[in-house]
Structures are given as structure tokens and as C-alpha cells.
Amino acid sequence: MATIIDGKKLSEKIRSGLKSKVDYYKEKFGKVPGIAVILVGDDPASNVYVNMKEKSCNEAGYKSVVERISKDSSTDELLGLVNKYNKDNSIHGILVQLPLPKQIDEKKILFAINPAKDVDGFHPFNVGLMHIGEDTLYPCTPYGVMKMFEEYGIDLTGKNAVVLGRSNIVGKPMASLLIKANATVTICHSKTKNLPEVCAAADILVAAIGKANFVTREFVKPGAVVIDVGINRLEGKLVGDVKYDEVEPIASYITPVPGGVGPMTITMLMFNTMKAFEKTLM
Ligand code: GUN
């Protein structure tokens, strides 16, 4: 029987701390953190995320602006919006929801965001700082996973950590943050040989591949900590990358889906926006 890592509860705790900070700064300086979210097109999943971000930011007293623009928008139109918020002093965080439509040059957009407002931590300047072990704005999902380890007192020093997935949003930054925390890290992907064996050597297993129920019992060493970043729709239900019922009995800790890593992503977006805001007060 594993201990369930409750991302919803931890999120509420962090958000409540952020809300208190907002109240304090509002009173002291008459200023609140502001975030601009840009959504191109009408992808239903992205729309759900963007609505959740807006609601969460409003609840904590942040200023929140959402720009919804047509799926046919050009790179230049989107660049114009990014620049508008780069210049806006009431906005401390800019997030361009991914994925972007094909005609848009994603790199050009992400590289145009002022690194000081890059609350996704996707700008190469911030990615570079993270990789050399400096404090900066870290990508929200892996940063949320690190907060979970901290909250549950899971020590990473010298542990074998295996990250399943090599995306720029989760897999690669996850590996970087785990290295910073003194874990021995392996990244696996679709071309990895003997995948179940490699995963079964992990003390800490992070699954971020977007394949429903992919991680079965044979991937998991008894007593391992299993973090499920996947959010997949299967027969109308949300399921993770981990076959929960099979893995939970042998893991020491596990994150559920939903209610695990999911809520932490928006929480860490708010955390990063607060951090970017506080820098402007110094
Ligand atoms: N799409 C899926 N995850 C993310 C994220 O963390 N940030 C952005 N901007 N887009 C995403």
C-alpha cells in the first residue's frame, strides 16, 4: 500500500500562502502580481486549462488577462501581443499556451518573451540557468513534482531516478531539477532498449509520455516512488501513464490522476508569477 501524494491538498496549501502574499503586497504597495495568458485557436483541452488558470489566478487575487486569438493568426500578430505584455508593467508573467498552430513559429514566440516574465521557464536563457544549477523560473510541471518530494520528505540524494519522456516541457527539465537535487538520473524515451528493466531499477520513477496505463507492474521496483504526469482520456475517464491499480500496491508513494501532479502545474505557474512580481519590487 503506497502513500498517496495529494497534489490537490498541497496545491491548496501553496495557493493559500500566495493569496496571503497578494493581500500583503496589495496593502503595502498597492500592487498585485499580473499574468497574461495567450491562447491561439480553440483546442478544447487548451481551453479547459486556460479557464482553470484564469479562475485560480482570480481566486488568489492576481490580475489575470486572457487573450484568445484566431487559430489563423500569424507569427507576427502573436509577436505583437507578446511585445505588448513585455512592456506592460502590470503584467509580471506571460504564458503562451502550447501547442501552437502549425503556421506559427513556436521558437520565435517563446524566445521573444522577456525572460524575467517567462513564468513557463521555456526561454533558452532560463533553461540555460536551470541547467547550470542557478535559481531561475523553472518549468511548472517538473517544479511542482519537486515541491511534492519536498512536502512528503522524499530524499533524492543518491537515489536512482528514471524519467520516462524527453519533452522540453516535462522530461528534460525534470531530469535537470533531479540532478540539482543530487539524484542519479536516466532519461528514457521511445527508442530506449529494455525499457521495463531500466524503469525497474528506479527508486524514483517519473512517467511523462502521454500513453494511458503504459507503466505496468513490471516497470516498478517494490518500494519505488511513482510520479504520474500523464493526463489521458480513456473511455471518457481521465487516466495517467501509470496503471494505478496494479502499481499502487507495490509503490511506497504514488500520485493519483486526477488530483496528483495536475493541480500542481497551475499552482507553480502562480508561484513563478509571484516570484517574477517580487523581483520587480526589489
Ligand atoms: N501546454 C501543456 N502544458 C503546458 C505548459 O506548461 N505551458 C504552456 N504554455 N503550454 C502548455
Side-chain angles (χ1 to χ4, degrees):
M1 281 285 285
T3 299
I4 312 297
I5 301 181
D6 189 340
K8 196 162 173 273
K9 194 165 136 206
L10 176 55
S11 277
E12 279 161 12
K13 180 172 152 184
I14 296 173
R15 289 182 197 193
S16 143
L18 291 170
K19 188 170 187 309
S20 305
K21 279 191 164 191
V22 172
D23 294 342
Y24 170 77
Y25 288 129
K26 196 171 175 176
E27 168 81 25
K28 186 153 192 241
F29 301 112
K31 287 181 187 170
V32 298
I35 179 159
V37 174
I38 306 174
L39 174 59
V40 187
D42 44 21
D43 175 61
S46 291
N47 212 11
V48 170
Y49 291 135
V50 167
N51 288 337
M52 276 164 54
K53 283 171 195 164
E54 189 176 26
K55 183 168 171 275
S56 308
C57 287
N58 286 333
E59 278 170 6
Y62 287 49
K63 171 179 172 174
S64 163
V65 212
V66 180
E67 294 270 4
R68 289 185 164 79
I69 62 171
S70 152
K71 66 179 189 333
D72 302 317
S73 304
S74 66
T75 300
D76 281 346
E77 282 169 72
L78 189 48
L79 274 180
L81 266 184
V82 167
N83 283 325
K84 173 173 126 184
Y85 291 112
N86 276 341
K87 289 189 206 120
D88 184 336
N89 288 332
S90 72
I91 293 297
H92 311 89
I94 301 171
L95 180 143
V96 177
Q97 185 66 31
L98 302 179
L100 289 168
K102 280 194 296 289
Q103 79 277 10
I104 290 179
D105 184 342
E106 182 175 301
K107 257 193 278 180
K108 210 166 171 182
I109 301 300
L110 296 181
F111 293 13
I113 296 172
N114 175 355
K117 297 190 178 189
D118 171 36
V119 285
D120 257 330
F122 294 165
H123 191 288
F125 182 73
N126 288 320
V127 174
L129 285 174
M130 176 184 64
H131 281 308
I132 61 169
E134 293 294 319
D135 182 42
T136 186
L137 296 165
Y138 302 133
C140 302
T141 302
Y143 196 15
V145 172
M146 297 307 287
K147 289 281 177 198
M148 290 174 138
F149 293 138
E150 191 184 310
E151 177 73 10
Y152 283 80
I154 297 167
D155 182 28
L156 300 166
T157 301
K159 298 285 169 63
N160 281 331
V162 173
V163 179
L164 249 175
R166 56 174 155 176
S167 72
N168 292 330
I169 296 182
V170 184
K172 282 186 230 168
M174 186 77 253
S176 191
L177 295 176
L178 285 164
I179 291 169
K180 191 173 193 302
N182 299 314
T184 302
V185 181
T186 305
I187 300 194
C188 298
H189 46 76
S190 53
K191 304 287 189 289
T192 298
K193 298 210 169 78
N194 305 323
L195 190 59
E197 288 86 341
V198 177
C199 291
D203 303 309
I204 314 278
L205 180 61
V206 182
I209 46 172
K211 285 184 196 288
N213 297 329
F214 184 86
V215 175
T216 52
R217 200 185 165 94
E218 59 169 343
F219 286 68
V220 180
K221 176 164 84 177
V225 175
V226 180
I227 306 292
D228 191 349
V229 180
I231 300 179
N232 312 289
R233 209 165 268 286
L234 187 70
E235 292 155 9
K237 255 182 65 184
L238 279 189
V239 299
D241 291 347
V242 176
K243 201 161 190 182
Y244 188 88
D245 293 345
E246 217 178 280
V247 170
E248 185 273 331
I250 59 167
S252 59
Y253 292 87
I254 193 166
T255 62
V257 175
V261 177
M264 292 300 293
T265 299
I266 293 180
T267 300
M268 297 318 291
L269 175 71
M270 294 164 65
F271 186 96
N272 278 347
T273 305
M274 177 59 78
K275 187 169 174 176
F277 167 69
E278 286 176 327
K279 280 240 162 85
T280 68
L281 301 172
M282 288 173 188

